[in-house]
Amino acid sequence: MQYFISLTIIFFSLLLSSCSSETKHNNSLTISTNAWIGYAPLFYAKEKGYLKENNIHLLISVSLGEAADLYSVGRADMLTTTQHEYYALKDAFHLLPVILLDRSNGGDMILSNRTINELQKAKKITAYLEIDSVNAEMLKEFLQHYNIPLKKLHLINKDQAQIEDISAHDNEAILIVTYTPYDISLKKKGFKVITSTKDINSIIVIDALCSSKSIYNKRLKHLKILKTIIDRSVEELMQDKKTSYQLIKKYLRNLSYKEYLASLQSIKWINKPSKELLEHIEPLGYDRKYILP
């Protein structure tokens, strides 16, 4: 009889534990993201405790591709994307942009150890980029804009942490497609910005938080809380840049305060989207009825 009672207690303990775990899972949100100045409000909210208070967690990667992979294998409920990752995943995962974060205004760029004129004359160019990311679209627009044939390029696929280690060899023409904060160490090695999202109007890079339609329908209340947290974080980090820098520099490759201020100038916050912006991006597949105001 005592053995039976013990088994019964164990069974109900396991049952309660399982229910508790399921409730905890159902009440949490996990976001897959990567190091980029446009995601600073998420890093800030994490450090301030705003995310933890609302059972929201971050998975932080070194590249756009790795962040997308973590989402693809089910490690996260949401994903920060440019339009490239959104387009790549939207059909398979019924992905929806639900919170707009920023638009790149020079934060995505192409660096080189050659001038554009020298690149146009070069017989061979080695190009480093994350091929399965918005980097590829940046490179395509650049080549078309400056009439540089793709066949001249030797493309090498690396994540941004690997690209950061590249040196500017004088005997080799190099192109690097990158973004803040990874550009900072490359510039110190002698690479120079030859174009960016600030220079070519046809290059539009928008960062958004995306979720599946299922998460949107089931967790809309939680998503609205997240939107409020992001709005608050943007306001606070812009009002007190010195404090926000100290809190989040570790997520941005420990860039200097001066570099942090410059990085903030390379994006435009759009987490409070205007009617004009929504009309502009709707043809790109961003359905305004799911975007939280």
Side-chain angles (χ1 to χ4, degrees):
M1 181 67 177
Q2 185 177 1
Y3 174 74
F4 175 76
I5 292 172
S6 297
L7 284 178
T8 304
I9 291 171
I10 291 170
F11 172 77
F12 279 105
S13 296
L14 289 171
L15 181 63
L16 289 171
S17 173
S18 174
C19 291
S20 174
S21 175
E22 184 177 347
T23 301
K24 182 179 179 182
H25 175 75
N26 288 339
N27 287 333
S28 69
L29 279 176
T30 301
I31 300 168
S32 181
T33 189
N34 62 285
W36 158 242
I37 189 64
Y39 305 146
L42 293 173
F43 308 142
Y44 179 87
K46 181 180 188 300
E47 288 302 304
K48 292 290 286 186
Y50 303 154
L51 297 183
K52 186 177 181 179
E53 288 169 4
N54 292 280
N55 213 357
I56 301 170
H57 313 283
L58 295 184
L59 288 176
I60 304 170
S61 306
V62 298
S63 70
L64 291 158
E66 186 179 340
D69 288 343
L70 288 171
Y71 178 82
S72 298
V73 298
R75 293 281 304 279
D77 306 296
M78 301 188 74
L79 171 68
T80 52
T81 71
T82 68
Q83 57 266 40
H84 181 94
E85 293 77 39
Y86 166 55
Y87 294 150
L89 298 173
K90 70 183 182 75
D91 292 333
F93 295 94
H94 308 288
L95 211 59
L96 299 169
V98 295
I99 299 174
L100 300 183
L101 296 169
D102 66 272
R103 176 178 176 176
S104 178
N105 186 42
D108 293 85
M109 68 209 75
I110 297 179
L111 307 179
S112 183
N113 60 345
R114 298 288 191 271
T115 65
I116 291 174
N117 186 49
E118 288 170 336
L119 290 169
Q120 290 169 330
K121 294 177 180 178
K123 292 182 179 180
K124 180 185 174 182
I125 303 168
T126 302
Y128 295 90
L129 70 159
E130 292 178 58
I131 287 178
D132 190 20
S133 78
V134 75
N135 286 182
E137 295 176 29
M138 281 278 298
L139 182 60
K140 180 182 175 183
E141 290 291 335
F142 169 77
L143 296 177
Q144 290 178 348
H145 191 80
Y146 291 105
N147 196 27
I148 299 174
L150 177 61
K151 64 183 180 181
K152 289 172 58 168
L153 271 63
H154 172 50
L155 302 177
I156 298 179
N157 184 32
K158 289 182 178 290
D159 66 37
Q160 293 298 329
Q162 294 169 325
I163 290 173
E164 203 173 20
D165 293 331
I166 296 167
S167 298
H169 303 296
D170 288 338
N171 60 346
E172 181 183 15
I174 297 174
L175 276 181
I176 298 176
V177 190
T178 188
Y179 47 87
T180 301
Y182 294 99
D183 62 308
I184 293 168
S185 61
L186 292 165
K187 289 174 182 175
K188 291 176 181 177
K189 293 179 180 180
F191 290 104
K192 292 182 169 44
V193 177
I194 54 173
T195 197
S196 74
T197 45
K198 196 171 186 177
D199 305 320
I200 303 177
N201 291 331
S202 58
I203 301 175
I204 299 174
V205 179
I206 292 175
D207 290 295
L209 260 170
C210 296
S211 76
S212 66
K213 194 169 185 179
S214 173
I215 289 289
Y216 181 88
N217 289 334
K218 293 176 182 177
R219 311 294 299 283
L220 183 56
K221 183 177 179 180
H222 211 164
L223 294 178
K224 287 180 177 179
I225 291 172
L226 175 58
K227 176 69 170 66
T228 301
I229 290 170
I230 290 172
D231 289 348
R232 175 184 180 181
S233 296
V234 169
E235 183 177 350
E236 290 181 6
L237 74 85
M238 294 301 288
Q239 282 182 349
D240 189 350
K241 297 183 180 71
K242 193 71 176 180
T243 297
S244 66
Y245 164 72
Q246 294 296 338
L247 283 174
I248 68 174
K249 62 179 180 179
K250 62 185 178 183
Y251 300 107
L252 298 170
R253 319 294 290 178
N254 287 308
L255 72 178
S256 70
Y257 182 56
K258 183 179 178 180
E259 291 163 346
Y260 176 65
L261 295 178
S263 296
L264 288 174
Q265 293 297 314
S266 71
I267 56 170
K268 291 183 178 179
W269 300 115
I270 56 169
N271 57 302
K272 294 183 179 179
S274 65
K275 180 181 177 182
E276 292 74 21
L277 176 65
L278 293 173
E279 289 175 351
H280 180 71
I281 64 175
E282 195 156 34
L284 302 176
Y286 289 68
D287 192 336
R288 71 173 75 186
K289 74 180 178 183
Y290 294 109
I291 296 174
L292 299 178

